[in-house]
């Protein structure tokens, strides 16, 4: 097995074990390989290793890779990074899922592309975070705007665990926010949480979409 195949297999094994500990079915958990900074060839290698969901956090880089790999038509591109509304329309052309919806202007810009996009509302789990996200108090209002849009579907909530806090405690708060959102839209029960260092904790708190970079890809190159 190549290094990539081994890392994909190792992460799948760890996801299965965490799901078993949580008493959850592994089939309800989607592992997204975050490929930012890596070349399109790495995405092809991941595809060969069975990965069908990849995540990117910068529009220009993502757009170029998606254009290079249009032949992989059952590959789903997820946009996970902070998004400027002026770029959102273009992101909707290749990303079927956007995890970082955190402002009205992003909702409106994505909707204006007239394409179906699944959306996670990104929640700021700590007030002194600079990682994006809407405050816990504003999540419902923003979720309602997604639901009221013409082309977007609300999938659920997303967050990055704040630095300096035990991740499981943060993910437990996200789960509470998720429960509130399902009272607005019962189908919006997905939770995008968990990265290389904390996906087991996220699974214990109900994560359905893991965004895993380095544990799968190895270290990121310093520049793309
Ligand atoms: C880069 C990134 C990840 C993956 O991070 P790793 O620590 O490499 O697993 C997950 N989510 C977002 C939003 C990212 O930007």
């Amino acid at each position: 097995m190549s290094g990539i195949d081994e890392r994909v297999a190792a992460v799948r094994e760890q996801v299965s074990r965490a799901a078993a500990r949580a008493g959850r079915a592994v089939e309800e958990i989607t592992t997204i390989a975050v490929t930012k900074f890596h070349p399109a060839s790495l995405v092809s290698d991941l595809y060969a290793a069975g990965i069908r969901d990849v995540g990117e956090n910068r529009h220009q880089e993502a757009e170029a890779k998606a254009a290079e790999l249009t032949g992989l038509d059952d590959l789903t591109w997820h946009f996970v990074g902070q998004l400027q509304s002026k770029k959102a329309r273009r992101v909707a052309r290749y990303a079927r899922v956007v995890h970082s919806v955190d402002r009205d202007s992003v909702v409106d810009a994505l909707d204006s592309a007239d394409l179906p996009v699944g959306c996670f509302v990104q929640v700021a789990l700590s007030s002194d975070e600079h990682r994006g996200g809407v405050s816990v108090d504003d999540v419902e209002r923003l979720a309602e705007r997604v639901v009221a849009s013409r082309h977007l579907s609300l999938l659920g909530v997303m967050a990055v665990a704040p630095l300096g806090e035990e991740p499981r405690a943060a993910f437990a708060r996200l789960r509470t926010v998720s429960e509130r959102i399902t009272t607005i839209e019962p189908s919006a029960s997905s939770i995008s949480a968990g990265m290389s260092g904390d996906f087991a904790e996220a699974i214990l708190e109900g994560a359905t979409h893991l965004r895993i970079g380095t544990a799968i890809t190895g270290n990121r190159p310093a520049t793309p």
Side-chain angles (χ1 to χ4, degrees), residues 43-122:
V43 178
S44 303
D45 292 346
L46 289 169
Y47 186 89
I51 293 285
R52 291 295 178 270
D53 293 272
V54 291
E56 289 284 333
N57 75 336
R58 296 185 315 166
H59 163 62
Q60 270 173 319
E61 184 188 337
E63 184 178 54
K65 281 186 223 174
E68 228 180 292
L69 297 170
T70 46
L72 307 180
D73 52 9
D74 62 341
L75 182 68
T76 298
W77 292 87
H78 296 251
F79 194 85
V80 305
Q82 285 188 40
L83 187 52
Q84 295 166 275
S85 49
K86 64 174 199 248
K87 293 186 180 155
R89 238 176 118 102
R90 303 223 9 200
V91 168
R93 292 199 198 147
Y94 58 86
R96 292 283 51 82
V97 185
V98 173
H99 292 241
S100 42
V101 172
D102 65 354
R103 268 164 296 152
D104 288 356
S105 58
V106 168
V107 175
D108 298 348
L110 281 173
D111 198 30
S112 73
D114 290 341
L115 290 162
V117 180
C119 293
F120 286 91
V121 168
Q122 183 175 351

Side-chain angles (χ1 to χ4, degrees), residues 34 36 57 80-81 158 160 195-197 211-215 220:
V34 178
K36 63 190 184 203
N57 75 336
V80 305
M158 175 276 213
V160 178
M195 310 187 358
S196 293
R211 308 179 313 270
I212 303 182
T214 49
R220 281 186 278 276

Side-chain angles (χ1 to χ4, degrees), residues 49 135 139:
S135 72
V139 176

Side-chain angles (χ1 to χ4, degrees), residues 23-47:
R24 298 179 55 202
V26 75
E27 295 75 27
E28 68 185 50
I29 299 169
T30 300
T31 296
I32 301 158
V34 178
T35 49
K36 63 190 184 203
F37 292 21
H38 287 285
S41 59
L42 181 100
V43 178
S44 303
D45 292 346
L46 289 169
Y47 186 89

